[in-house]
């Protein structure tokens, strides 16, 4: 299967590209994205056939349907990373929390957040491609917390790939920072920046646009790439767990094969939700996809009113920081799928130029036939955490936002699958505050307080971080980054 461009072709890019081209060179004509030429149809008996498949077998068959140019042995190696999740025979447990609400836990990988679901296998695929082509890649990452650890973990000691990861010093949780600064592979460089996430991100953009930087990389024979969430090499692995979660509900006899369900997704850059949309288009019985946001509710407004409006908006810091996003990049692939390349280019250019676009009434109706949305305030989220805990379920503040969409968007008496994107250990101060009223706790104290209240242990993978040696000590000003990365290379 080949890939085409969401904003059409500018006649300097190829008209269609392979999967491997799309993941190594993710930026398409006019700044658009690569997207499959058509989505494969899984066929009528696919779900039936996979009722008792392992996660890996299901994954292999979903990927096979895309007929991509990745060797079977590379793909097998990539999928074998799910064997390192907590339970290799079921890397994504689905847990009943309320009568009609099930939580699909996407955080059982090495960094305890759902970024591992896609970045773990993606690391193998990218490094294998680089080796096959005898090319060297530098992956630049700017992170507010979860992508950094997951990218470092997947690329550490991988051949032909180096990672430079920038984070705002003081702008991540202690656990997230420790996960990054204790990584000691020689192909990894972690750089703290004096400033906030926007500073880290603008530093990255500056590098991508710097001619001297690119020239220096060329001299060293290094290609620049990114592992961000618009890369289709990540999206493709995010289709699988939606199908798996549905099959889990059938196996648990919560539904019968063919029944529709709600997919309920805590959304930021829309990669997770896009995976659900593709699964639905490929044949998964889905009533609607519910898009949960926090106070940065630009997607709630888009889906409820048809307006995407960045004017007079700035990012608000919330208790679900991985969703503190205003430019939700993967929405572009939905626009393309529903309205075509010409209209997508038009809308995205309006957004870039006027910081605003408005869908037509017919377009909005089409969006609303598939999506519904709402947003959750910090205090509401904490109340949901407390209530779920009362029912014996411990969840993180991102997952909690889905309990709002569950309450307001489920119009039919169908089962809902909530996607849990982080383990409680990653955002412990917020959870401790919700459960015990404790304020401004440091991560280690919050972890202990929750563990005591819940009668559970802090997982060793987290508690060990606090005694590990800090190997990545660089913390610098934004303007010194280029020099620092060149020295590392
Ligand atoms: C990245 C992330 C999200 C948002 O996922 P998108 O695919 O970008 O919509 C939500 N929760 C957590 C914990 C995350 O790390």
């Amino acid at each position: 299967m080949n890939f085409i461009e969401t904003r059409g072709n500018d006649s300097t890019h190829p008209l269609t590209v392979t999967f491997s081209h799309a993941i190594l060179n993710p930026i398409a004509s006019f700044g658009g994205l690569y997207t499959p030429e058509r989505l494969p149809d899984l066929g009528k008996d696919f779900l039936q056939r996979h009722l008792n498949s392992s996660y890996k077998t299901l994954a292999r068959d979903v990927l096979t349907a895309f007929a991509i140019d990745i060797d079977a042995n590379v793909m097998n190696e990539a999928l074998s990373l799910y064997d390192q999740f907590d339970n290799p025979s079921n890397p994504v447990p689905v847990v009943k929390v309320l009568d009609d609400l099930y939580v699909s836990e996407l955080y059982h990988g090495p960094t305890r957040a759902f970024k591992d679901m896609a970045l773990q296998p993606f690391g193998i695929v990218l490094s294998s491609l680089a080796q096959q082509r005898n090319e060297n890649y530098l992956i630049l990452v700017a992170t507010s917390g979860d992508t950094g650890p997951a990218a470092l973990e997947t690329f550490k000691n991988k051949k032909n790939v180096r990672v430079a990861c920038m984070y705002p010093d003081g702008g991540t949780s202690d656990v997230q920072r420790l996960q990054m600064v204790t990584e000691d592979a020689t192909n990894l460089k972690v750089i703290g920046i004096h400033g906030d996430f926007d500073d880290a991100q603008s530093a990255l953009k500056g590098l991508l646009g710097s001619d001297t930087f690119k020239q220096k990389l060329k001299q060293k024979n290094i290609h620049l790439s990114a592992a961000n969430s618009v890369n289709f090499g990540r999206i493709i692995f995010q289709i699988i767990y939606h199908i798996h979660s549905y099959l889990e509900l059938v196996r648990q006899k919560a539904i019968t094969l063919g029944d529709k369900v709600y997919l309920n997704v805590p959304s930021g850059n829309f990669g997770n939700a896009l995976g659900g949309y593709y699964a639905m288009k490929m044949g998964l019985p889905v009533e609607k996809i519910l898009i949960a946001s926090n106070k940065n509710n630009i997607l709630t407004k888009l889906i409820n009113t048809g307006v995407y409006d960045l004017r007079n908006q700035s990012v608000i810091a919330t208790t679900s920081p991985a969703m503190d996003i205003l430019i939700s990049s993967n929405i572009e692939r939905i626009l393309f799928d529903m309205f075509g390349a010409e209209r997508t280019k038009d809308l995205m250019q309006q957004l870039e130029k006027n910081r605003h676009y408005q869908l037509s009434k017919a377009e909005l109706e089409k969006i609303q036939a598939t999506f519904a949305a709402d947003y959750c305030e910090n205090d509401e989220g904490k109340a949901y955490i407390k209530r779920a805990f009362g029912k014996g379920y411990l969840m993180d503040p991102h997952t909690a936002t889905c309990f709002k969409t569950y309450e307001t968007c489920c119009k039919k008496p169908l089962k809902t699958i909530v996607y849990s994107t982080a383990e409680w250990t990653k955002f412990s101060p917020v959870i401790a505050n919700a459960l015990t009223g404790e304020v401004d706790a440091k991560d280690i104290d919050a972890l202990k307080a929750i563990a005591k209240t819940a009668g559970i242990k802090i997982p060793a993978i987290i508690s060990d971080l606090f005694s590990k040696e800090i190997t990545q000590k660089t913390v610098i000003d934004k303007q010194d980054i280029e020099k620092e990365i060149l020295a590392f290379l």
Side-chain angles (χ1 to χ4, degrees):
M1 150 129 21
N2 277 332
F3 287 73
I4 52 175
E5 304 164 286
T6 51
R7 303 187 194 181
N9 187 262
D10 65 4
S11 75
T12 67
H13 289 71
L15 269 178
T16 67
V17 301
T18 58
F19 177 75
S20 53
H21 180 103
I23 70 176
L24 292 173
N25 313 280
I27 299 303
S29 299
F30 309 113
L33 307 174
Y34 285 109
T35 192
E37 211 160 20
R38 67 194 149 71
L39 286 166
D41 181 356
L42 291 176
K44 248 175 123 181
D45 54 352
F46 184 92
L47 294 176
Q48 179 72 45
R49 221 170 47 239
H50 283 287
L51 212 41
N52 293 309
S53 293
S54 70
Y55 192 87
K56 276 197 296 184
T57 304
L58 172 71
R60 206 153 20 213
D61 279 5
V62 173
L63 295 169
T64 303
F66 277 90
I68 49 176
D69 63 329
I70 302 293
D71 293 346
N73 55 341
V74 171
M75 213 31 116
N76 285 341
E77 194 191 340
L79 295 178
S80 73
L81 291 180
Y82 292 124
D83 292 340
Q84 282 157 40
F85 280 45
D86 293 339
N87 177 358
S89 70
N90 187 5
V92 181
V94 180
V95 180
K96 180 173 177 170
V97 173
L98 304 174
D99 272 346
D100 51 0
L101 183 152
Y102 289 70
V103 177
S104 172
E105 297 178 345
L106 303 174
Y107 56 73
H108 289 275
T111 73
R112 319 314 285 167
F114 105 106
K115 299 293 189 286
D116 288 331
M117 290 305 303
L119 274 168
Q120 278 287 302
F122 178 74
I124 297 274
V125 172
L126 191 84
S127 159
S128 302
L129 287 175
Q131 288 172 67
Q132 278 166 21
R133 294 166 178 234
N134 209 7
E135 291 173 344
N136 286 295
Y137 283 84
L138 171 67
I139 310 263
L140 293 176
V141 180
T143 184
S144 64
D146 280 335
T147 305
L152 295 166
E153 188 61 31
T154 195
F155 289 116
K156 84 172 161 199
N157 298 320
K158 289 276 191 324
K159 294 205 178 95
N160 298 44
V161 178
R162 274 168 272 195
V163 179
C165 175
M166 293 158 262
Y167 70 94
D169 187 42
T172 69
S173 76
D174 293 343
V175 167
Q176 289 169 326
R177 183 178 51 80
L178 289 170
Q179 283 180 322
M180 293 186 276
V181 298
T182 57
E183 287 282 16
D184 65 350
T186 52
N187 69 326
L188 307 178
K189 177 76 190 175
V190 179
I191 303 172
I193 292 179
H194 299 302
D196 58 18
F197 175 58
D198 285 337
D199 292 312
Q201 200 154 32
S202 72
L204 184 147
K205 287 205 177 115
L207 287 173
L208 293 175
S210 157
D211 286 330
T212 56
F213 187 64
K214 281 190 249 181
Q215 200 56 40
K216 293 249 171 67
L217 290 185
K218 211 165 174 187
Q219 282 166 12
K220 295 175 196 281
N221 211 4
I222 296 174
H223 300 260
L224 208 50
S225 193
N228 58 24
S229 65
V230 292
N231 196 307
F232 204 85
R234 281 176 59 175
I235 301 293
I236 199 165
F237 292 105
Q238 296 187 277
I239 299 169
I240 301 156
Y241 57 69
H242 292 285
I243 302 173
H244 160 85
S245 302
Y246 181 92
L247 289 172
E248 268 294 308
L249 257 56
V250 179
R251 287 191 278 267
Q252 294 180 22
K253 303 206 177 355
I255 57 171
T256 332
L257 200 69
D259 288 352
K260 289 193 169 176
V261 297
Y262 289 104
L263 307 182
N264 194 343
V265 187
S267 294
N269 236 336
F270 216 77
N272 197 351
L274 180 69
Y277 177 76
Y278 285 158
M280 182 189 92
K281 297 270 301 194
M282 291 164 71
L284 195 70
V286 172
E287 172 66 21
K288 267 190 184 174
I289 301 170
L290 312 183
I291 305 303
S293 298
N294 59 32
K295 197 158 185 145
N296 298 286
N297 59 357
I298 202 127
L299 293 175
T300 312
K301 288 185 192 150
L302 174 70
I303 291 164
N304 290 330
T305 69
V307 179
Y308 202 110
D309 195 349
L310 292 168
R311 293 171 302 184
N312 309 315
Q313 291 274 348
S314 51
V315 176
I316 303 161
T318 72
T319 49
S320 44
M323 297 157 66
D324 291 350
I325 280 177
L326 290 176
I327 298 179
S328 183
S329 311
N330 277 302
I331 282 287
E332 179 165 350
R333 289 192 166 106
I334 301 287
L335 298 178
F336 171 80
D337 195 73
M338 291 189 172
F339 314 128
E342 206 174 313
R343 178 64 171 151
T344 303
K345 182 177 167 211
D346 169 40
L347 291 170
M348 296 315 291
Q349 286 185 341
Q350 283 186 47
L351 189 64
E352 275 157 25
K353 229 172 70 209
N354 313 329
R355 299 183 60 72
H356 163 264
Y357 67 71
Q358 166 135 35
L359 300 175
S360 71
K361 190 160 169 281
E363 287 168 340
L364 178 59
E365 279 169 11
K366 196 158 179 191
I367 296 244
Q368 290 178 340
T370 299
F371 295 101
D374 205 346
Y375 71 101
C376 179
E377 301 270 2
N378 290 346
D379 285 346
E380 292 176 300
K382 276 189 265 180
Y384 289 127
I385 290 172
K386 189 158 188 185
R387 223 186 300 160
F389 186 69
K391 300 207 175 276
Y393 192 71
L394 185 56
M395 67 180 174
D396 101 296
H398 300 79
T399 313
T401 61
C402 293
F403 281 65
K404 179 71 179 282
T405 31
Y406 165 72
E407 283 185 353
T408 61
C409 300
C410 295
K411 304 287 183 212
K412 292 188 184 170
L414 300 171
K415 301 287 190 258
T416 296
I417 302 172
V418 163
Y419 290 91
S420 181
T421 48
E423 189 179 56
W424 63 274
T425 53
K426 293 211 79 168
F427 300 95
S428 55
V430 178
I431 301 172
N433 176 248
L435 299 185
T436 69
E438 191 164 335
V439 282
D440 290 336
K442 290 186 94 57
D443 278 34
I444 188 65
D445 299 321
L447 286 164
K448 286 178 185 159
I450 297 165
K452 189 166 166 230
T453 309
I456 52 178
K457 276 176 86 166
I458 305 169
I461 203 171
I462 297 295
S463 55
D464 288 354
L465 287 171
F466 292 88
S467 53
K468 251 178 151 175
E469 189 195 346
I470 297 194
T471 47
Q472 304 270 2
K473 295 189 178 129
T474 309
V475 180
I476 55 177
D477 286 331
K478 201 157 78 164
Q479 59 270 21
D480 296 328
I481 288 173
E482 183 165 329
K483 209 168 64 199
E484 191 72 35
I485 294 179
L486 287 171
F488 156 65
L489 295 173

